[in-house]
């Protein structure tokens, strides 16, 4: 888990097993168990992997003990994420000894970086498969079954898995992820993603719309369009030469049905356009919530990070969002203790947080990643205890802000999409409002997938509590 996790975050959703496929009653001769780490895109990739394996006659299981194949879909974003996976791998050592033919595979972002290490030093890994090589997984399994190691970590400039319809794993049947692009070209100095996932490429809009439409027809009511940097989505339709931007894609997905909510993540502050903000304003069903990672409030640090915007530029972006989309939810990512960060830089981050008053923030101490620009050019010179102390300060400030943001909602009424029973009691249901806040209310006759208007009576630091005021 993360050092500090205010709330379940992309990268803190570590080690979740996926359930057998909903409504799938077929019997399979071989079973696989897949565990996902890292961001939402990685979780969505596991659903692509499940679809590929399903087609080849493998069934998903939630129980590692009954699996013939265990797959770990890994994350490299911080050192801690990698350590968790290593620990988990050693746990499968025993099973491997006692169960002949049992195979272990490492997928995802650690694959490329550590393939040699996994295969040579850690004999328990049979397959290493990078994020662009999942189509070759069945063949690699076959190879591994003969006792050879199955390896494919090639990155692609084209692969988007556009034709593969992901098998929805661990699904609530209401909300789903749809990847619209892969890779990243941004080269933020701290970040390993461009190395683990390769060049940015956008998926054919028609396949995105087809997938979202199919989800809607199967009862889903919310799709989250995913990309490391959705605002640089760009697709040229070769049949008519038309260029599709992210704003255009967003509007096309929103047009599927007014009952289908659309979310998206992540927006790089340098790329989010007024066109996108206006598209959001035009469509009631595009949720008014933007994840806009700032990383640091200091222009000097932002420059070192290669984020390509300044403090002032970011503030103007926040102003613009508030102007075009009043009441829009805003969240961020923050890194403390990046190379050379002074107390003054840190105070700039604190004051930026005061300025933006985020509803939600994911906060991390800087973790040097081998091969990145920062690892090659700068010294990781901020002592661990300073990074941690600054992180604790940022977290404390943010806690105050989230609580204030929740308290401001008491007395308001929100449209909520119901996702299922509340975690605490079956007598209550939970859903989210437009701004992505969790709302809990008495069940009544309402059902998962319904929209209800909920008046907020009270709140905790993470939940709004209310009652349904109209159907
Ligand atoms: N594509 C997204 C971020 C993906 S990684 C974007 O550009 O915003 C998610 C978050 O992890 C980043 O926003 C950053 O805050 C954090 N992160 C990435 N690399 C890190 C590192 N080396 N150390 C600490 N945090 C890191
Ligand atoms: Fe990493 Fe930057 Fe790309 Fe985000 S935009 S994935 S932080 S390189
Ligand atoms: Fe981790 Fe790879 Fe996502 S490094 S955050 S799983 S893109």
């Amino acid at each position: 888990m993360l050092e500090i996790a205010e709330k379940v975050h992309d990268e803190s959703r570590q080690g979740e097993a996926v359930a057998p496929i909903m409504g799938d009653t077929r019997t399979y001769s071989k079973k696989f168990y897949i565990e996902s780490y890292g961001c939402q895109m990685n979780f969505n990739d596991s659903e692509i992997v499940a679809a590929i394996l399903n087609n080849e006659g493998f069934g998903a299981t939630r129980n590692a003990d009954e699996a013939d194949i265990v797959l770990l879909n890994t994350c490299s974003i911080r050192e801690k994420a990698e350590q968790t996976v290593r620990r988990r791998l050693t746990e499968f050592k025993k099973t491997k000894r006692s169960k002949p033919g049992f195979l272990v595979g490492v997928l995802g972002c650690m694959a490329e970086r550590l393939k040699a290490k996994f295969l040579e030093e850690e004999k328990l890994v049979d397959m290493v498969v990078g994020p662009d090589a999942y189509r070759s997984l069945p063949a690699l399994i076959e190879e591994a079954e003969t006792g050879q190691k199955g390896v494919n970590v090639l990155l692609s400039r084209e692969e988007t898995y556009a034709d593969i319809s992901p098998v929805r794993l661990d699904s609530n049947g209401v909300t789903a992820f749809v990847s619209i692009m892969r890779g990243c070209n941004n080269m933020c100095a701290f970040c390993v993603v461009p190395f683990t996932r390769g060049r940015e490429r956008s998926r054919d809009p028609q396949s995105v719309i087809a997938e979202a439409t199919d989800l809607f027809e199967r009862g889903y009511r919310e799709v989250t369009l995913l990309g490391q940097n959705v605002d640089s989505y760009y697709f040229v339709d070769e049949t008519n030469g038309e260029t599709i931007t992210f704003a255009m894609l967003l509007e096309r997905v929103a047009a599927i049905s007014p009952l289908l909510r659309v979310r998206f993540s992540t927006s790089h502050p340098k790329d989010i356009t007024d066109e996108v903000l206006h598209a959001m304003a035009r469509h009631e069903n595009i949720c008014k919530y933007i994840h806009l990672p700032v990383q640091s409030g200091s222009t000097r640090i932002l420059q070192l990070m290669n984020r390509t915007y300044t403090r002032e530029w970011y503030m103007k972006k926040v102003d613009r969002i508030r102007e075009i989309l009043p009441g829009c939810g805003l969240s961020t990512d923050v890194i403390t203790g990046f190379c050379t960060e002074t107390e003054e830089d840190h105070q700039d981050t604190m004051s930026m947080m005061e300025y933006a008053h985020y509803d939600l923030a994911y906060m991390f101490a800087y973790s040097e990643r081998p091969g990145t620009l920062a690892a090659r050019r700068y010294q990781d010179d901020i002592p661990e205890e300073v990074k941690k102390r600054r992180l604790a300060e940022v977290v404390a400030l943010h806690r105050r802000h989230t609580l204030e943001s929740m308290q401001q909602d008491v007395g308001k009424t929100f449209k909520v999409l119901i996702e299922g029973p509340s975690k605490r009691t079956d007598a209550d249901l939970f859903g989210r409002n437009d701004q992505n806040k969790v709302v809990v209310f008495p069940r009544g006759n309402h059902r998962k997938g319904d929209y209800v208007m909920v008046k907020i009576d009270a709140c905790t630091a993470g939940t709004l509590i209310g009652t349904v005021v109209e159907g």
Side-chain angles (χ1 to χ4, degrees):
M1 295 293 286
L2 289 174
E3 311 78 7
I4 304 272
E6 273 288 272
K7 197 171 158 168
V8 178
H9 175 227
D10 309 354
E11 289 78 34
S12 69
R13 287 182 69 195
Q14 295 193 337
E16 280 183 28
V18 296
I21 298 141
M22 279 202 318
D24 186 355
T25 52
R26 285 173 292 182
T27 48
Y28 297 94
S29 58
K30 290 242 160 112
K31 287 190 174 154
F32 69 94
Y33 165 88
I34 183 163
E35 220 170 73
S36 305
Y37 297 78
C39 62
Q40 294 166 331
M41 299 200 71
N42 230 29
F43 278 70
N44 190 225
D45 275 7
S46 292
E47 301 184 323
I48 289 167
V49 168
I52 292 170
L53 289 181
N54 240 211
N55 269 342
E56 297 292 320
F58 296 93
T61 170
R62 197 175 203 165
N63 180 358
D65 292 337
E66 66 171 42
D68 304 287
I69 304 165
V70 162
L71 300 169
L72 299 187
N73 195 0
T74 63
C75 172
S76 280
I77 201 82
R78 285 169 289 277
E79 201 182 339
K80 254 210 163 125
E82 291 196 351
Q83 284 165 356
T84 316
V85 167
R86 288 175 172 284
R87 266 199 310 277
R88 194 68 181 119
L89 277 173
T90 58
E91 286 168 23
F92 289 114
K93 226 179 209 161
K94 259 195 242 135
T95 326
K96 210 161 167 48
R97 278 202 211 105
S98 62
K99 202 166 162 184
F102 177 75
L103 298 179
V104 175
V106 170
L107 316 180
C109 290
M110 280 171 79
E112 154 64 22
R113 218 171 73 65
L114 295 168
K115 66 167 189 259
K117 217 167 173 172
F118 278 136
L119 293 171
E120 287 151 26
E121 289 174 25
E122 304 176 34
K123 296 263 185 279
L124 65 146
V125 176
D126 303 286
M127 294 157 296
V128 181
V129 191
D132 288 343
Y134 296 143
R135 286 180 203 270
S136 65
L137 192 53
L140 295 172
I141 291 175
E142 228 172 85
E143 215 173 301
E145 279 170 341
T146 69
Q148 295 170 54
K149 301 283 181 191
V151 183
N152 187 348
V153 293
L154 289 176
L155 289 170
S156 158
R157 278 175 180 266
E158 290 95 32
E159 181 63 273
T160 59
Y161 300 110
D163 58 317
I164 294 178
S165 161
V167 162
R168 303 297 162 182
L169 299 161
D170 248 2
S171 167
N172 59 12
V174 179
T175 61
F177 297 136
V178 176
S179 293
I180 60 163
M181 56 207 295
R182 298 182 72 82
C184 184
N185 287 353
N186 276 327
M187 290 292 172
C188 300
F190 51 80
C191 185
V192 82
V193 172
F195 304 95
T196 62
R197 296 222 158 217
R199 305 291 293 173
E200 180 185 289
R201 65 222 96 121
S202 297
R203 178 177 167 189
D204 185 333
Q206 280 183 11
S207 75
V208 173
I209 305 221
E211 188 176 324
T213 307
D214 175 60
L215 284 164
F216 180 69
E217 284 167 357
R218 284 161 47 208
Y220 285 81
R221 290 294 173 263
E222 182 181 296
V223 291
T224 303
L225 307 181
L226 294 180
Q228 291 299 350
N229 181 11
V230 287
D231 296 289
S232 63
Y233 178 91
Y234 181 85
F235 192 92
V236 181
D237 186 340
E238 274 164 18
T239 56
N240 57 13
E242 190 189 12
T243 298
I244 315 288
T245 62
F246 179 59
M248 290 159 82
L249 181 72
L250 202 51
E251 298 211 79
R252 289 185 190 187
V253 178
I256 292 172
S257 165
L259 288 179
L260 181 70
R261 266 188 174 176
V262 189
R263 297 188 186 277
F264 56 89
S265 187
T266 296
S267 300
H268 194 301
K270 79 174 162 61
D271 292 321
I272 189 166
T273 56
D274 277 6
E275 199 193 348
V276 167
L277 302 181
H278 287 304
M280 290 174 77
R282 267 197 298 276
H283 296 263
E284 197 262 340
N285 59 330
I286 303 180
C287 291
K288 309 300 177 278
Y289 171 74
I290 299 175
H291 184 56
L292 197 71
V294 66
Q295 315 296 1
S296 167
S298 150
T299 295
R300 188 183 70 84
I301 293 292
L302 286 168
Q303 267 161 3
L304 281 182
M305 285 177 164
N306 198 25
R307 288 291 284 184
T308 69
Y309 52 84
T310 61
R311 172 186 175 83
E312 291 69 31
W313 200 90
Y314 184 93
M315 285 171 155
K316 281 207 186 102
K317 218 22 118 183
V318 172
D319 296 344
R320 198 78 184 126
I321 291 169
R322 303 260 189 251
E323 187 186 320
I324 300 175
L325 301 164
C328 184
L330 194 64
S331 62
T332 199
D333 294 345
V334 172
I335 296 177
T336 63
F338 187 66
C339 314
T340 78
E341 186 187 72
T342 62
E343 280 309 312
E344 201 185 332
D345 295 320
H346 169 59
Q347 287 310 322
D348 283 348
T349 299
M350 299 283 278
S351 65
M352 176 63 96
M353 293 189 71
E354 292 282 8
Y355 187 81
H357 209 282
Y358 299 107
D359 300 289
L360 190 59
Y362 304 109
M363 297 152 283
F364 314 99
Y366 172 60
S367 159
E368 186 178 81
R369 308 312 292 130
T372 55
L373 221 67
R376 284 181 280 131
R377 286 203 197 146
Y378 318 131
Q379 228 189 329
D380 182 11
D381 58 353
I382 306 301
E384 214 46 42
E385 63 274 16
V386 176
K387 287 181 185 171
K388 290 276 155 65
R389 194 253 305 149
R390 289 179 188 165
L391 179 61
E393 287 175 15
V394 168
V395 168
L397 178 61
H398 175 59
R399 278 213 177 115
R400 178 159 68 70
H401 289 164
T402 20
L403 189 62
E404 283 166 10
S405 151
M406 299 303 266
Q407 283 164 343
Q408 276 163 16
D409 287 342
V410 175
K412 292 185 188 160
T413 299
F414 295 107
K415 185 173 179 180
V416 172
L417 172 60
I418 306 176
E419 291 184 29
S422 132
K423 286 196 186 89
R424 281 223 185 121
T425 156
D426 258 8
D428 290 347
L429 292 171
F430 95 96
R432 275 165 218 277
N433 69 3
D434 232 45
Q435 290 73 15
N436 213 22
K437 287 181 180 164
V438 172
V439 182
V440 171
F441 53 91
R443 178 183 287 268
N445 293 322
H446 306 291
R447 279 174 319 182
K448 201 163 90 162
D450 289 348
Y451 288 98
V452 281
M453 298 304 291
V454 181
K455 179 161 191 281
I456 307 304
D457 309 312
C459 72
T460 67
T463 311
L464 298 174
I465 302 156
T467 37
V468 175
V469 288
E470 51 183 282

